[in-house]
Amino acid sequence: MADLTGKVAIITGAARGQGEAEARLFVASGAKVVLTDLLEEEGAKVAAELGDAARFVRHDVSDPADWAKVVATAVTEFGGVDILVNNAAIYWTTGFADETPERVEKIFGVNFFGVWHGMQAVLPVMKANGGGAIVNISSQAGLEGMPGHAAYGASKWAVRGLSKTVALEAGEHGIRVNSVHPGTIDTPMIAAVGLEQGAGKFPSVPMRRIAAPAEVAEVVAFVASDAASYMTGTELVVDGGAMAGMTRPAGAY
């Protein structure tokens, strides 16, 4: 595990799935964590199970006022913000020709502007503290075109590009910004796709399986930790080898 002793982290979308796995690992690694989500019951339950090292805040990531509340909680309860993990996202698949402007605005409101508002909210605190680490969760769909992912993919490409821009601007303040690009992960967000965990269950990737949320959490914890102190403006791919050049069978997406 990465050593996060003494760090204070905000993790969005942490009531379940990948965000929950990150919150649990961060606390186990020594961090204090503010978990945020719109799922109040689930989020409060996770925070209660994590004990004194965790607080839950109901949070709409598309709302800058909510972000001010979350940052204030981190500062008041734990003394600052060292790490931000922009994990919250929404997902669906629709062909480009059938997508609507209203749905595109909705997905960008969470997936892109949630990241934008979050970084703007924490940067002043991180600058005052002399540095910090921001980890923005993008996607494999933010690295390549994928059929049916016009809106989702565009939002995740935008997160990738924004991460690089802010890394350039914030580096002189000791603030690192990186993006993590998961492939197919076994979370509630992709449950409707109907994929199964287990060896040989996902033949379109070299490792022939989908990932558990904890496998992404380990990478997020590493890049957020001081072990990655000279890494910024880059992307870390956690996709079982899908981007390594393997030829996919027709319809393998």
Side-chain angles (χ1 to χ4, degrees), residues 11-17 19-21 23-24 27 33-51 53-59:
I11 303 177
T12 67
R16 63 183 186 178
E20 177 186 354
R24 292 186 183 280
V27 170
V33 177
V34 177
L35 302 79
T36 87
D37 211 298
L38 286 174
L39 302 174
E40 290 188 70
E41 185 175 345
E42 294 96 324
K45 181 175 182 292
V46 174
E49 291 172 356
L50 292 175
R55 302 287 186 274
F56 173 73
V57 179
R58 186 187 185 279
H59 178 205

Side-chain angles (χ1 to χ4, degrees), residues 3-9 26 29-33 53 78 80-83 131-133 176 224-226:
D3 183 7
L4 299 174
T5 303
K7 303 291 188 182
V8 178
F26 272 49
S29 302
K32 304 289 180 62
V33 177
F78 297 132
V81 181
D82 302 297
I83 299 166
R176 300 183 298 107
S225 77
D226 292 340

Side-chain angles (χ1 to χ4, degrees), residues 3 38 51-52 56 75 79 105 137 166 174 180 202 242:
D3 183 7
L38 286 174
D52 291 341
F56 173 73
V75 172
E105 288 178 8
I137 308 300
V166 180
V180 172
F202 196 26

Side-chain angles (χ1 to χ4, degrees), residues 38-200:
L38 286 174
L39 302 174
E40 290 188 70
E41 185 175 345
E42 294 96 324
K45 181 175 182 292
V46 174
E49 291 172 356
L50 292 175
D52 291 341
R55 302 287 186 274
F56 173 73
V57 179
R58 186 187 185 279
H59 178 205
D60 176 358
V61 297
S62 68
D63 183 353
D66 264 16
W67 270 106
K69 178 177 63 177
V70 169
V71 173
T73 298
V75 172
T76 301
E77 295 290 320
F78 297 132
V81 181
D82 302 297
I83 299 166
L84 168 63
V85 180
N86 278 311
N87 175 81
I90 55 176
Y91 172 80
W92 60 73
T93 58
T94 302
F96 170 73
D98 298 319
E99 195 57 273
T100 67
E102 294 77 16
R103 283 162 52 91
V104 173
E105 288 178 8
K106 180 177 180 180
I107 209 166
F108 264 77
V110 176
N111 295 6
F112 176 72
F113 281 105
V115 173
W116 179 290
H117 296 320
M119 289 198 289
Q120 285 196 330
V122 302
L123 281 173
V125 178
M126 289 184 173
K127 287 178 182 179
N129 290 346
I134 298 172
V135 185
N136 295 325
I137 308 300
S138 180
S139 171
Q140 180 185 339
L143 294 167
E144 65 172 349
M146 301 178 75
H149 288 68
Y152 180 80
S155 72
K156 292 300 189 176
W157 276 86
V159 167
R160 178 189 179 197
L162 179 64
S163 299
K164 291 181 179 296
T165 299
V166 180
L168 294 173
E169 297 181 2
E172 65 180 296
H173 302 287
I175 299 168
R176 300 183 298 107
V177 185
N178 294 285
S179 57
V180 172
H181 297 255
T184 304
I185 314 299
D186 186 21
T187 67
M189 193 172 77
I190 60 94
V193 177
L195 295 171
E196 296 181 69
Q197 268 205 24

